[in-house]
Amino acid sequence: MLDNLAKNKLDPRTKVLFLIPANIALFMYINYWKEGILIAFFAVIIAYDIAPLKALRYVSMFIVMLIIELLLLNHLTGFLWTVFYFIGVTSRKLLPCLMAGRIFFSTTTPNEMIVALRKLKIPHYFVIPFAVLMRYFPTIKQDFISLRQAMKIRGIASDAKAILLHPFQTFEYLLVPFLLSGIKTADELAAAAISRGIANPQPHTSLQEIKFKAKDYIYQVAIIIVTYSLYY
Amino acid sequence: MKNLTIKDLVTIGIFTAIYFVTLSVCTFASFMLIPGVSFMFLPAIAALVCGAIYLLLVVKIQKFGAITILGTVIGVFFAISGHFITALPTCIIFSVLADLIASTKKYKSMIANTISYVVYAFSLTGPILPMWFLKTQYIQHLLNDNKTQEYVDARFVFINTQTFLLVAGGIVVCAIIGALIGKKLLQKHFEKAGII
């Protein structure tokens, strides 16, 4: 708990609220100035809560995309126009959503997400698979690396050329072990979880507290202001 | 959905994780191969590759709710990680439909499962939907900017209803092939291991 206070973390539910201005900006057409305000809003949050360099990256992406639309797009037609339209306009409009998503996933631990879901009274049919997904996901990355090494030793899909020549074989040898080990893990994991009381109908407790603090309210007010400014 | 045991829910979670990783790999691969327009073909590519995962999940659980939860959790992920919010209802609607279709034959018929998989493959089209009204908005913006209608037509020559129908057709074809590939994989590896 002291840990939470020290790092000044946001409640995950507040972070989900970031999606509101980001998505509204897609529904209605906003001019370049409003886009800039929205991007600046998210960039400031990323710079403050995550890392200034990441914020700089997003801002420079925005500027490059804007330049593509304003300067490059007029001179293209046909297929090239389509490609650069997607890069310069469509992706740019989606950028605030992407930044909101990045804020959420970079600052929230899986545990916090699960506790937030429970607090929102989401039924356990969704919380348990979600929790398993969040916890099992890093394991898959590890397994993938070991799997690639084992494949290299046996000479299967050892380099890019082999992958291109035998795509089905590569695919088969990658996917099937994951499915097999996944099924085995599922049995063991379920037994372990049940023995730790996951099936308990009483409310579950958690070491991490999720509740709104001062910082949450400040951010929520800021979100309301930004959302309102999109309209006028 | 009440008869899903804890073991079922954990299995669904693990399969969702594998599915999600496969999806990420597909996204990365298609981004490398067709930069710029890759996300329009992503549902088709994913449908081609994920057949085995889907079919194995259906066979393992054989109860209503497995596909629904898979689609919904993936949809929530899409919505929170930065795709447009329409990704979530799209995922939910198509995965519930797919679940209902497969449940009509108690999850045992290969044909019903294949049709279910085709329907499910469309749940990944959520992120593509903003293209529709982004296009309308942008055309309006161009016209306001005193561009002519011919100018607009010359630009949007590749993004129109025909393209979308082509993409949809591609998804159907890839999903059917993906289901067949998945079935072959299941027969080859999992029947011997006694899991089916």
Side-chain angles (χ1 to χ4, degrees):
Chain A
M1 274 193 319
L2 284 173
D3 198 55
N4 255 346
L5 287 171
K7 288 204 198 122
N8 221 353
K9 285 195 130 186
L10 277 179
D11 189 317
R13 295 170 289 177
T14 311
K15 286 179 248 188
V16 172
L17 291 177
F18 284 137
L19 292 173
I20 295 183
N23 278 297
I24 290 181
L26 268 180
F27 268 121
M28 47 189 279
Y29 191 81
I30 56 176
N31 59 32
Y32 304 120
W33 297 112
K34 289 187 191 166
E35 276 188 51
I37 295 177
L38 200 57
I39 298 279
F41 174 64
F42 284 124
V44 162
I45 296 177
I46 291 182
Y48 179 63
D49 277 333
I50 307 176
L53 277 179
K54 279 219 163 74
L56 204 64
R57 210 176 61 155
Y58 282 112
V59 170
S60 45
M61 274 168 67
F62 175 70
I63 295 178
V64 165
M65 290 172 181
L66 202 57
I67 292 178
I68 289 182
E69 179 187 346
L70 292 176
L71 297 176
L72 183 57
L73 230 41
N74 286 328
H75 307 287
L76 298 172
T77 50
F79 184 69
L80 273 182
W81 182 91
T82 313
V83 171
F84 280 102
Y85 167 71
F86 279 125
I87 298 179
V89 179
T90 312
S91 309
R92 195 186 82 235
K93 297 284 179 194
L94 287 173
L95 204 53
C97 281
L98 211 70
M99 291 168 87
R102 163 60 74 187
I103 294 176
F104 184 84
F105 277 108
S106 285
T107 60
T108 321
T109 66
N111 215 28
E112 285 171 349
M113 294 187 213
I114 297 165
V115 175
L117 282 180
R118 286 225 162 95
K119 255 211 151 182
L120 289 169
K121 307 269 200 297
I122 309 262
H124 74 281
Y125 303 110
F126 294 104
V127 177
I128 295 182
F130 186 84
V132 171
L133 166 65
M134 297 307 302
R135 292 279 161 75
Y136 192 59
F137 185 51
T139 321
I140 295 188
K141 284 203 286 196
Q142 299 282 48
D143 284 351
F144 187 75
I145 296 175
S146 336
L147 190 59
R148 285 294 290 141
Q149 282 174 345
M151 283 167 75
K152 283 203 174 105
I153 293 178
R154 283 172 175 69
I156 304 169
S158 41
D159 53 15
K161 192 175 76 158
I163 296 179
L164 285 173
L165 284 176
H166 303 282
F168 287 116
Q169 197 190 42
T170 315
F171 162 65
E172 184 182 348
Y173 281 111
L174 276 176
L175 186 59
V176 173
F178 274 120
L179 291 174
L180 281 171
S181 86
I183 292 181
K184 211 164 45 125
T185 311
D187 293 345
E188 297 167 355
L189 192 58
I194 294 177
S195 70
R196 280 171 177 73
I198 201 171
N200 187 358
Q202 306 274 20
H204 294 242
T205 57
S206 163
L207 207 56
Q208 268 179 335
E209 265 190 5
I210 298 281
K211 67 180 179 186
F212 287 142
K213 304 193 209 42
K215 188 175 177 187
D216 290 291
Y217 293 119
I218 298 176
Y219 276 62
Q220 285 166 10
V221 167
I223 290 174
I224 295 178
I225 295 178
V226 168
T227 313
Y228 182 67
S229 78
L230 292 175
Y231 276 105
Y232 89 94
Chain B
M1 217 150 73
K2 293 291 165 77
N3 52 354
L4 286 172
T5 65
I6 299 290
K7 181 155 159 236
D8 291 333
L9 292 175
V10 171
T11 311
I12 295 174
I14 292 200
F15 274 83
T16 312
I18 299 179
Y19 180 73
F20 183 67
V21 168
T22 315
L23 219 54
S24 311
V25 170
C26 287
T27 317
F28 184 69
S30 70
F31 185 70
M32 291 284 121
L33 292 174
I34 358 172
V37 295
S38 58
F39 64 91
M40 287 195 74
F41 300 104
L42 184 59
I45 298 178
L48 204 53
V49 166
C50 298
I53 306 174
Y54 187 88
L55 288 175
L56 190 55
L57 178 68
V58 166
V59 160
K60 256 247 128 192
I61 308 238
Q62 295 203 356
K63 295 176 197 165
F64 185 80
I67 304 172
T68 311
I69 296 179
L70 172 69
T72 309
V73 171
I74 294 283
V76 167
F77 243 86
F78 276 169
I80 299 187
S81 68
H83 295 279
F84 191 46
I85 195 80
T86 54
L88 180 56
T90 314
C91 275
I92 297 180
I93 293 175
F94 280 109
S95 47
V96 169
L97 271 174
D99 218 343
L100 288 171
I101 292 177
S103 72
T104 56
K105 296 283 193 208
K106 302 272 193 286
Y107 303 98
K108 292 202 202 300
S109 150
M110 183 60 195
I111 299 186
N113 288 347
T114 309
I115 301 177
S116 160
Y117 184 56
V118 171
V119 170
Y120 179 77
F122 278 91
S123 73
L124 294 173
T125 60
I128 305 184
L129 290 180
M131 300 312 129
W132 274 120
F133 44 92
L134 276 180
K135 172 183 167 188
T136 336
Q137 282 178 357
Y138 192 66
I139 291 184
Q140 194 57 45
H141 164 76
L142 283 180
L143 292 174
N144 287 343
D145 231 8
N146 297 325
K147 301 283 198 293
T148 63
Q149 186 60 41
E150 302 159 327
Y151 177 90
V152 169
D153 290 337
R155 296 308 187 274
F156 277 96
V157 85
F158 279 104
I159 314 176
N160 46 31
T161 332
Q162 282 106 307
T163 327
F164 279 103
L165 286 178
L166 203 71
V167 169
I171 295 178
V172 171
V173 167
C174 285
I176 296 181
I177 300 179
L180 290 173
I181 295 180
K183 170 112 179 126
K184 255 190 59 172
L185 271 180
L186 291 190
Q187 274 170 337
K188 182 171 165 194
H189 291 274
F190 292 88
E191 272 176 5
K192 280 190 288 186
I195 296 184
I196 290 200

